[in-house]
């Protein structure tokens, strides 16, 4: 997988504190901590399954484009499919690395021995930091708490159980940084979905427009959910909100 470039895509997606050592590094003695291993297994199960489900959601769009292939829709769909296929390959690659780590006894509960760097402290300012007007109560008024519980159940069902590392500051740093990455992906996906929908609006294919609109709205709501997550834990991390 490293020879065909999967590692390049994996390092593009994953920040340094999530990147597992290369296969050769693990074989030569690289060590990962128990929490990093368990998070890796959980994430691998979830992201592989979630990307496969998202690929399946494009099947109706494929048949709609097949009838009248517009260059914009074809290009956007091809990019989305390529991204999700590569993401599944990256998760398969992670799975192999985790298996090698266990095979060669490279997992330790002593985090001081781990050669995976710790997560960075989230930035307290900027677009992805909660703004002064973002409150937990406000997000709950628009149904985010109900949505959060449903998404948590869905994530746990795919990943094999709830996360166990969020009781520590390092675990919360990981969680916040994961929500920032997820927000970026869902915002980009919603923008691409909107572009893909334009030719169908012109062709008055309203059934397909409605279907893609649901996907776009879901991505936007999932992006809002990430902001809700950060609003919930920001005080626990003792970080200031953006002005």
């Amino acid at each position: 997988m490293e020879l065909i470039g999967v590692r390049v895509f994996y390092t593009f997606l994953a920040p340094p504190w999530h990147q597992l050592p290369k296969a050769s590094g693990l074989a030569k003695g690289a060590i990962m901590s128990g929490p990093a291993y368990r998070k890796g297994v959980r994430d691998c199960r979830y992201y592989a399954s979630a990307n496969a489900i998202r690929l399946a959601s494009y099947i109706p769009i494929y048949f709609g484009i097949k009838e009248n292939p517009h260059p914009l829709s074809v290009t956007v769909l091809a990019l989305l499919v390529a991204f999700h296929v590569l993401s599944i390959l990256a998760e398969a690659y992670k799975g192999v690395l985790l298996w090698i780590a266990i095979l060669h006894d490279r997992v330790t509960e002593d985090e001081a021995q781990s050669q995976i760097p710790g997560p960075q402290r989230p930035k307290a300012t900027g677009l992805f930091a909660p703004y002064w007007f973002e409150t937990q109560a406000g997000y709950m008024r628009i149904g985010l708490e109900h949505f959060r519980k449903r998404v948590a159940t869905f994530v746990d069902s795919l990943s094999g159980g709830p996360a166990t590392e969020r009781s520590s500051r390092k675990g919360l740093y990981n969680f916040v940084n994961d929500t920032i990455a997820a927000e970026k992906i869902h915002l980009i996906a919603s923008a691409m979905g909107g572009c893909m929908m334009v030719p169908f609006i012109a062709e008055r294919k309203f059934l397909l427009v409605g279907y893609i609109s649901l996907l776009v709205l879901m991505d936007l709501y999932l992006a809002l959910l990430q902001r809700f997550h950060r609003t919930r834990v920001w005080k626990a991390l003792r970080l200031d909100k953006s002005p």
Side-chain angles (χ1 to χ4, degrees):
M1 286 186 175
E2 289 176 356
L3 287 174
I4 64 173
V6 176
R7 177 82 189 187
V8 175
F9 183 74
Y10 167 60
T11 54
F12 169 74
L13 283 181
W17 56 89
H18 280 343
Q19 291 176 18
L20 302 178
K22 287 185 176 182
S24 57
L26 288 168
K28 292 176 182 177
I31 299 293
M32 69 176 70
S33 68
Y37 172 81
R38 289 186 286 273
K39 177 173 171 52
V41 170
R42 185 176 184 275
D43 287 352
C44 192
R45 289 171 179 166
Y46 169 68
Y47 289 115
S49 301
N51 278 288
I53 291 170
R54 193 61 188 253
L55 270 176
S57 75
Y58 297 141
I59 293 174
I61 302 173
Y62 165 76
F63 285 107
I65 290 176
K66 191 176 179 182
E67 292 179 8
N68 189 7
H70 189 280
L72 177 61
S73 297
V74 171
T75 301
V76 173
L77 183 62
L79 288 172
L80 287 169
V81 168
F83 174 81
H84 291 296
V85 169
L86 287 171
S87 295
I88 292 171
L89 279 175
E91 297 308 321
Y93 170 65
K94 280 169 56 181
V96 172
L97 292 178
L98 293 165
W99 176 75
I100 292 173
I102 287 294
L103 185 67
H104 290 277
D105 195 24
R106 303 304 187 210
V107 180
T108 177
E109 293 304 318
D110 183 2
E111 292 200 41
Q113 296 183 39
S114 175
Q115 295 180 12
I116 300 176
Q120 291 182 355
R121 183 178 186 270
K123 292 181 180 179
T125 58
L127 177 63
F128 297 103
Y131 287 92
W132 62 269
F133 57 83
E134 293 182 86
T135 64
Q136 187 172 346
Y139 278 121
M140 290 176 70
R141 289 192 193 99
I142 59 174
L144 262 298
E145 177 60 19
H146 178 78
F147 186 62
R148 182 191 69 80
K149 291 178 180 178
R150 297 297 175 271
V151 171
T153 301
F154 174 73
V155 172
D156 292 345
S157 68
L158 293 182
S159 60
T164 58
E165 75 279 356
R166 293 178 189 165
S167 58
S168 67
R169 178 167 290 272
K170 185 181 289 188
L172 286 177
Y173 281 180
N174 258 325
F175 177 61
V176 168
N177 286 312
D178 285 349
T179 67
I180 292 172
E183 183 179 347
K184 291 176 182 177
I185 288 172
H186 286 300
L187 287 175
I188 293 170
S190 65
M192 293 181 74
C195 291
M196 185 165 52
M197 187 168 56
V198 170
F200 297 127
I201 296 173
E203 295 165 8
R204 306 177 75 84
K205 293 185 176 181
F206 296 121
L207 187 61
L208 206 49
V209 168
Y211 178 73
I212 299 174
S213 295
L214 287 176
L215 294 181
V216 170
L217 288 172
M218 178 64 74
D219 276 315
L220 290 174
Y221 213 55
L222 285 168
L224 274 179
L225 179 62
Q226 309 313 314
R227 301 197 69 87
F228 177 45
H229 283 322
R230 294 198 293 279
T231 299
R232 289 171 55 239
V233 303
W234 217 245
K235 282 187 179 180
L237 293 174
R238 296 179 183 177
L239 297 173
D240 296 326
K241 289 187 176 182
S242 290

